[in-house]
Amino acid sequence: MDTFEQKLVALRHAFHTSPEIGFALDRTKARVADALRDLGLEVHEGAGVVGILRAGTGNRAIGLRADMDALPIQERGTHDHVSEIDGAMHACGHDGHMTMLLGAAETLAKDGGFDGTVVFLFQPNEEHGLGAQAMIAEGVLERFPVEEVYAIHNLPGAPVGQVSTRKGLICNSESLFEIRIMGQGGHASMPHVGVDALTVGSEMVLALQTVVARKMAPGSGAVLSVTEFLTDGQRNVLPGEAVLKGDARAQAPEDRIALEAHMRRLVEGIAAAHGVKAEMSFETEFIETINASGPVEAVYRAAEGAGLAVVKERPSMSFSEDFAHFAAAVPGCFLLMGNGEDGAHGQPLHSDTYDFNDALLTRGAAFWASLVRDRLKTERTDP
């Protein structure tokens, strides 16, 4: 292991042992900002951290994004760099995403090889779909305009360093819904006196399962899941109120809109049939992530240039990613990079025994440098 790789491994482990959640990333942001300043980059701090690296006289600019937040999970890993923060863990590999991007910043700051500006975007709160929106609302794309934007996410279960992506849809949207049912509670021995909210809610849960099966086109990829059922009932008390919570996923905006419309009709109809009041909220924080053709082709070239295996036009992912908001504002590409197939590296994302693969750090940094040099050549012809 050479000195550069050792440095990246140590940095990744430092991020991993001190995870932070959401927007409360003081230690993480300070570590990122200090690392960028040590490399001589111009640094700006707000909701996230932005590093600016310029070379040559070119006026083109591209953005590279890494996410910084961890998850509220108690780690059960057995490696020597487990989280030191109770109830918090980098279970999605954002510690590695930050480190790869910082490694690329060091490579490009020292060796150059490009003509233009690289905007390094380190964003908070990806897990709740709010971080990219917060940075965009602060005006990051107006203050530091870029022509294209890119992001990497590691992929457990795929060979180390294998790059895969596709044109068009790459990640689904996610919408969170909540249905509040207001009936009339009462004694468990006399259900006919009131309107049991639990029974009404149960009917809604079953009816909602028909939305995707009977209202959406086959192959739409839509998913609707009720994940929580809460009531104010007791052992001998029929609940007067019930709350259903869950999420809906879609591969196209029109399907997302249709899901909400079908759900509302079912909820209103069932509530009316039972003579109760029901309210439903449907909030979309993660929109669909759409990759642009030019950036995808650039990713293929850069990966091959960095000696990485490439899977082109991979199937889209069912999970959601708030990089979607950057890609909706600027042409971009979200790509997957294999994290390995064995042990902790092959465990699912968000697992309490998952760990980012250190073998990916130099590969990721080399890929980023290759991509920058492809997109910010002194003289080139766009594909």
Side-chain angles (χ1 to χ4, degrees):
M1 187 181 297
D2 62 25
T3 303
F4 179 60
E5 185 175 5
Q6 290 175 338
K7 179 179 179 179
L8 294 186
V9 169
L11 180 59
R12 206 279 291 184
H13 290 187
F15 281 129
H16 191 90
T17 58
S18 56
E20 296 175 296
I21 295 171
F23 286 108
L25 305 175
D26 292 346
R27 292 189 308 274
T28 304
K29 289 170 63 177
R31 182 174 278 125
V32 168
D34 288 345
L36 293 170
R37 290 191 183 97
D38 288 346
L39 295 172
L41 272 67
E42 176 186 325
V43 177
H44 302 266
E45 296 184 63
V49 179
V50 179
I52 308 295
L53 179 62
R54 300 181 178 88
T57 58
N59 60 5
R60 301 188 67 245
I62 64 170
L64 311 180
R65 188 221 70 168
D67 31 22
M68 298 187 290
D69 56 320
L71 285 152
I73 294 173
Q74 186 67 42
E75 184 165 10
R76 293 197 304 114
T78 58
H79 46 76
D80 60 3
H81 52 274
V82 296
S83 171
E84 297 173 356
I85 308 300
D86 285 341
M89 174 191 174
H90 271 296
C92 205
H94 297 183
D95 50 341
H97 300 169
M98 289 185 282
T99 306
M100 290 191 296
L101 194 54
L102 288 170
E106 179 170 343
T107 298
L108 292 165
K110 289 182 176 179
D111 300 335
F114 67 97
D115 184 24
T117 301
V118 185
V119 179
F120 297 91
L121 300 161
F122 292 85
Q123 73 149 82
N125 211 353
E126 188 281 326
E127 295 294 350
H128 293 104
L130 301 171
Q133 295 180 77
M135 293 185 74
I136 291 170
E138 283 184 339
V140 68
L141 295 178
E142 287 76 31
R143 293 180 64 195
F144 315 108
V146 295
E147 297 176 17
E148 300 168 352
V149 64
Y150 298 83
I152 292 174
H153 205 293
N154 76 95
L155 184 62
V160 178
Q162 181 191 79
V163 169
S164 60
T165 190
R166 71 192 310 270
K167 298 171 186 174
L169 178 93
I170 184 66
C171 294
N172 287 6
S173 64
E174 181 191 27
S175 303
L176 301 179
F177 64 83
E178 180 173 308
I179 300 164
R180 185 171 296 274
I181 304 159
M182 290 145 281
Q184 173 61 59
H187 200 286
S189 68
M190 297 181 286
H192 60 288
V193 175
V195 182
D196 171 15
L198 193 153
T199 301
V200 178
S202 297
E203 188 172 330
M204 288 182 183
V205 171
L206 293 175
L208 289 171
Q209 305 313 303
T210 69
V211 170
V212 172
R214 290 293 178 265
K215 299 298 184 182
M216 306 300 293
S220 71
V223 180
L224 195 163
S225 299
V226 179
T227 58
E228 295 183 69
F229 195 149
L230 311 171
T231 80
D232 61 351
Q234 299 293 328
R235 173 180 171 177
N236 61 349
V237 179
L238 293 172
E241 293 192 8
V243 176
L244 306 179
K245 297 182 181 182
D247 81 1
R249 311 269 174 159
Q251 295 186 348
E254 56 269 26
D255 288 342
R256 170 163 37 92
I257 293 167
L259 277 172
E260 179 181 2
H262 292 313
M263 290 175 66
R264 288 190 182 280
R265 278 195 292 270
L266 279 176
V267 168
E268 291 168 2
I270 292 170
H274 288 278
V276 300
K277 183 179 179 182
E279 298 174 348
M280 176 179 149
S281 64
F282 189 95
E283 302 293 336
T284 301
E285 291 170 347
F286 294 91
I287 61 174
E288 299 79 13
T289 307
I290 308 297
N291 282 344
S293 178
V296 170
E297 291 294 338
V299 163
Y300 293 157
R301 289 194 305 274
E304 291 167 350
L308 302 175
V310 179
V311 175
K312 299 182 179 181
E313 297 306 320
R314 65 155 299 121
S316 61
M317 307 300 294
S318 60
F319 62 64
S320 305
E321 174 46 76
D322 86 338
F323 176 75
H325 294 285
F326 283 120
V330 180
C333 179
F334 179 80
L335 63 124
L336 290 306
M337 188 171 284
N339 195 57
E341 301 164 274
D342 302 318
H345 307 139
Q347 292 297 305
L349 296 171
H350 295 201
S351 165
D352 58 7
T353 56
Y354 159 89
D355 191 31
F356 186 89
N357 195 337
D358 289 332
L360 200 57
L361 296 173
T362 54
R363 290 176 171 88
F367 164 80
W368 277 136
S370 176
L371 178 68
V372 168
R373 289 163 180 158
D374 178 272
R375 302 314 285 158
L376 299 180
K377 292 177 181 176
T378 302
E379 293 182 1
R380 69 177 183 83
T381 302
D382 285 319

